[in-house]
Every structure is written in C-alpha cells, then in structure tokens.
Amino acid sequence: MDDLVFKTTREKFNAVVEEIVTLTAAGRPVLVGTTSVEISELLSRMLQLKKIKHNVLNAKQHQREAEIVAEAGKPGTVTIATNMAGRGTDIKLTPESRNAGGLAIIGTERHESRRVDRQLRGRSGRQGDPGSSKFYVSLEDKLMRLFMPERIARIMDRLGLKEGEVISHSMVTSSIERAQKKVEENNFGIRKRLL
C-alpha cells in the first residue's frame, strides 16, 4: 500500500500501535520492521503499555531467533524486527492466519536503501500466500529531513493537517523512493571514489 505520512514521529508511532491493535483483533500475524534497536525497544514499550503480547527480534535475541520466527505466522502474533532482511527462515502461516488475510507487514520508517524496504515487503505474500505491507513515515524521519522536497511539507501545511492526521498518496510514495535513490547514488559514488 502507499506510505502513510505523518507530521511528527509521535503521531506516527501512535498510528502504528493502533494499526497493530486492529490487525491482531482480526487474527492476522503482524511483522513490524524497524531501522534500529532503539526504535524496536521504544515500540515494544508502547505495546507493553497497551498490554499487547509481542516478540522483539534484534541483535540481542540471537538464541531465541529461530523460535520467534517459527511463532511469527500464528494468528494475532506480533513480531518486532530490526532490519529483518534475509534472515534465512520463512514465516510459515497457519491456515487461520491465511484465512484472516495473511501476514501484515508494517514498516516504521523508510530505510536509506530501497533494497532493504523491498526485502521487508517481500516477507509477506510469499509463494501465493495472502498478505499486505504498509510503511508509516513522519516528516521528522532522518531520510525525510535530509531529502524530502520542501514541496511535501508545504502541501501538508496547506492541507492544514490536524494532530494525528495523515497524508497518503502515490506522489508521496514515489518522491520518497526518489529520495532513497539519491541516497543510494551518493553512497555508490562514495564507494566508487574510495575504490
């Protein structure tokens, strides 16, 4: 789905938590992708306050990793993962999860590299399984602060967005991807010069 863009990080995380509540109530397993251990722990604290059972998969849980991934396809299971790229284990859906709509992927931020975002998205809808993926973005995210055209911030101001309101449009999604492309080109240039 198109990205959902919020003005502030706080509004974005509140919306992510609400979405997790809705998805788990519908019996869908949820995989939340974060870009850092700090964000995964912040989100974990927010879910604890709402009394939502969840697993956190980051560099601190090596020994439990396989067991967490094995559970991740069960109905209503919430897994928070940091850079869940090619972890080598597929998330197997139970028949109940499949009927409820499959694995729901929530990205809490766009990564600097489109490849990492695509790997996260690709975690759902594997081999004909149902599933969905959606990224939540705020104008305060690092990628947005560095590369977002002023235009988007101006549009949001012009729309007079109230606290918690969201903008979702394919134009926003494509301009985020252009920003990622710029970062990737910069990084490529740096590596090329270094070599």
Side-chain angles (χ1 to χ4, degrees), residues 28-29 31 69 73 83-94 98 101-105 115-133:
R28 290 184 67 182
L31 175 66
V69 174
N83 288 340
M84 175 81 202
R87 293 272 181 153
T89 325
D90 267 352
I91 293 172
K92 304 264 188 299
L93 297 179
T94 65
R98 201 171 275 116
L103 181 64
I105 302 280
R115 180 182 60 86
V116 178
D117 286 350
R118 288 186 189 133
Q119 283 176 327
L120 177 62
R121 274 198 201 279
R123 280 270 165 196
S124 85
R126 290 256 167 124
Q127 292 146 11
D129 279 342
S132 64
S133 63

Side-chain angles (χ1 to χ4, degrees), residues 1-2 4 12 19 33 40 43 52 75 78 80 84 88 112 119-120 123 127 130-131 148 171 173 175 181 189 194:
M1 294 172 185
D2 282 332
L4 297 181
K12 173 181 79 170
E19 177 76 344
S40 68
L43 202 54
I52 296 170
V78 179
I80 301 173
M84 175 81 202
E112 281 189 351
Q119 283 176 327
L120 177 62
R123 280 270 165 196
Q127 292 146 11
M148 202 66 209
M171 177 190 83
T173 302
S175 73
K181 200 165 177 233
L194 181 64

Side-chain angles (χ1 to χ4, degrees), residues 44-59:
S44 176
R45 284 194 299 277
M46 288 177 79
L47 291 176
Q48 278 164 4
L49 290 173
K50 286 261 187 198
K51 306 218 177 339
I52 296 170
K53 222 163 97 29
H54 61 282
N55 289 311
V56 181
L57 192 59
N58 58 35

Side-chain angles (χ1 to χ4, degrees), residues 29-46:
V30 182
L31 175 66
V32 186
T34 66
T35 51
S36 71
V37 172
E38 294 80 53
I39 293 174
S40 68
E41 289 177 346
L42 164 82
L43 202 54
S44 176
R45 284 194 299 277
M46 288 177 79

Side-chain angles (χ1 to χ4, degrees), residues 94-165:
T94 65
E96 302 84 61
S97 300
R98 201 171 275 116
N99 293 336
L103 181 64
I105 302 280
I106 295 179
T108 56
E109 192 176 332
R110 285 300 203 125
H111 199 275
E112 281 189 351
S113 154
R114 287 169 300 173
R115 180 182 60 86
V116 178
D117 286 350
R118 288 186 189 133
Q119 283 176 327
L120 177 62
R121 274 198 201 279
R123 280 270 165 196
S124 85
R126 290 256 167 124
Q127 292 146 11
D129 279 342
S132 64
S133 63
K134 195 189 301 186
F135 278 86
Y136 285 69
V137 178
S138 95
L139 293 183
E140 297 175 342
D141 292 351
K142 187 177 160 212
L143 182 77
M144 302 290 270
R145 279 202 324 269
L146 293 175
F147 289 95
M148 202 66 209
E150 281 297 300
R151 203 174 70 233
I152 302 291
R154 277 203 306 274
I155 289 171
M156 290 186 85
D157 283 336
R158 206 172 310 131
L159 291 172
L161 291 183
K162 310 267 181 301
E163 172 83 9
E165 281 192 312

